[in-house]
């Protein structure tokens, strides 16, 4: 059985900001209408606009039930975050919404640990190996690459390759807790060792040193020791 793809349209950051800022204010049908009007300046084609709306709604509005408390917490603090911090939140919500985006980010993250540049043909080949050699996979790969590029997470280089921007350093304890919750969700684990979470490849555009002291104060997370020196975290 072929794995679903779904990610078939470039997503812009200001579209994500707009969606997040209005998610709690409108009904589902009202959100579709609101987004259709907002996106007209950037996306003239009706089909492309519909695809973009579907994706924005999946990322911020129609989230999995277990992700609702995580999303709502981020919506509560979104206005206080910097542009770079908001990118982290959008990145995490997109990881949770789209396994295809997650798998491509994982490939980038693993490769960037080994080298400074990653060729798009390598990414394309790996995604086809995972999802099948079909046109839909090519379209989705291009859509993710264009989205990451427009967000400033990757920069085009010579020979159809990409390099990293300087990583965004994150110290906000709420955002670090968010990272933990996203990883628990997308990796489908009930618990994770902290050394696995630390600068995980899925969050390759970012860097963070987990503040365990502050994270222990978060009611949504529980920490315990496994063996002598392994610290584990799980969601409540």
């Amino acid at each position: 059985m072929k794995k679903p793809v779904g990610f078939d349209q470039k997503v812009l950051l200001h579209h994500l900001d707009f969606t997040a800022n209005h998610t709690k204010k409108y009904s589902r049908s009202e959100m579709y209408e609101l987004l259709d009007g907002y996106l007209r300046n950037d996306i003239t084609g009706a089909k492309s606009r519909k695809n973009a709306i579907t994706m924005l709604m999946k990322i911020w509005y129609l989230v999995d039930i277990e992700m609702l408390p995580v999303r709502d917490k981020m919506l509560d603090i979104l206005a206080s975050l910097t542009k770079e911090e908001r990118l982290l939140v959008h990145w995490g919500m997109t990881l949770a919404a789209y396994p295809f985006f997650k798998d491509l980010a994982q490939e980038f993250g693993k490769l960037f640990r080994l080298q400074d540049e990653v060729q798009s043909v390598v990414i394309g080949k790996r995604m086809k190996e995972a999802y099948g050699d079909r046109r839909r996979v090519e379209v989705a790969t291009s859509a993710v690459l264009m989205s990451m590029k427009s967000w400033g997470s990757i920069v085009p280089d010579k020979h159809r390759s990409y390099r990293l921007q300087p990583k965004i350093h994150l110290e906000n304890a709420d955002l670090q807790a968010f990272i933990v919750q996203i990883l628990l969700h997308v990796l489908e684990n009930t618990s994770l060792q902290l050394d696995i979470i630390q600068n995980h490849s899925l969050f390759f555009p970012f860097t963070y040193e987990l503040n365990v002291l502050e994270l222990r104060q978060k009611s949504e997370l529980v920490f315990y020791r496994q063996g002598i020196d392994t610290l584990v975290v799980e969601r409540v």
Side-chain angles (χ1 to χ4, degrees):
M1 182 178 178
K2 293 180 179 178
K3 295 168 67 174
V5 177
F7 203 107
D8 50 14
Q9 182 80 26
K10 180 173 76 170
V11 179
L12 299 179
L13 276 181
H14 72 93
H15 294 169
L16 288 165
D17 276 336
F18 184 87
T19 306
N21 288 334
H22 292 83
T23 284
K24 280 194 169 183
K25 301 175 184 177
Y26 296 94
S27 69
R28 181 173 176 174
S29 60
E30 289 171 335
M31 277 297 295
Y32 277 107
E33 185 175 349
L34 186 70
L35 286 170
D36 186 65
Y38 182 73
L39 268 56
R40 284 178 182 271
N41 288 333
D42 296 315
I43 307 173
T44 55
K47 185 178 185 303
S48 295
R49 193 163 60 249
K50 182 179 179 181
N51 289 344
I53 293 169
T54 297
M55 293 176 65
L56 292 168
M57 290 290 285
K58 185 172 175 61
I59 292 168
W60 273 110
Y61 200 97
L62 305 173
V63 303
D64 291 344
I65 292 177
E66 70 175 42
M67 281 296 298
L68 283 174
V70 181
R71 181 204 66 179
D72 289 349
K73 171 66 176 178
M74 290 301 102
L75 290 178
D76 288 342
I77 69 170
L78 202 64
S80 67
L81 300 180
T82 65
K83 179 181 178 181
E84 292 76 18
E85 290 173 333
R86 290 201 310 276
L87 171 58
L88 176 277
V89 177
H90 292 315
W91 186 277
M93 294 300 294
T94 307
L95 288 174
Y98 283 99
F100 190 91
F101 181 92
K102 184 260 295 184
D103 289 343
L104 195 151
Q106 178 98 313
E107 293 297 338
F108 256 135
K110 290 189 294 186
L111 289 168
F112 276 131
R113 284 182 174 176
L114 302 173
Q115 56 205 57
D116 294 329
E117 295 180 0
V118 176
Q119 290 188 319
S120 59
V121 66
V122 173
I123 293 295
K125 180 181 178 182
R126 295 196 175 186
M127 297 312 292
K128 283 184 177 180
E129 288 172 353
Y131 284 82
D133 189 355
R134 46 193 169 122
R135 174 62 180 162
R136 189 169 180 81
V137 175
E138 292 180 7
V139 171
T141 299
S142 177
V144 174
L145 292 175
M146 288 191 296
S147 297
M148 290 181 175
K149 174 186 169 184
S150 73
W151 301 350
S153 301
I154 55 175
V155 182
D157 212 337
K158 56 188 178 182
H159 307 307
R160 296 183 63 190
S161 63
Y162 291 92
R163 56 183 169 82
L164 271 178
Q165 287 277 50
K167 293 197 174 192
I168 297 169
H169 185 65
L170 302 166
E171 295 183 349
N172 185 312
D174 286 328
L175 296 184
Q176 291 190 5
F178 172 73
I179 290 171
V180 173
Q181 292 173 293
I182 290 294
L183 288 174
L184 286 167
H185 178 76
V186 302
L187 298 178
E188 299 180 346
N189 287 328
T190 56
S191 63
L192 285 171
Q193 295 178 8
L194 249 64
D195 57 355
I196 292 175
I197 296 170
Q198 184 64 52
N199 291 318
H200 194 280
S201 56
L202 282 174
F203 287 94
F204 69 84
F206 310 92
T207 182
Y208 48 91
E209 292 292 331
L210 293 175
N211 188 330
V212 179
L213 186 63
E214 287 198 43
L215 288 175
R216 282 183 181 274
Q217 310 305 313
K218 303 297 180 184
S219 59
E220 62 269 25
L221 300 174
V222 174
F223 291 82
Y224 61 91
R225 291 208 170 271
Q226 194 175 72
I228 298 175
D229 55 4
T230 302
L231 194 60
V232 175
V233 60
E234 64 181 26
R235 54 181 166 230
V236 176

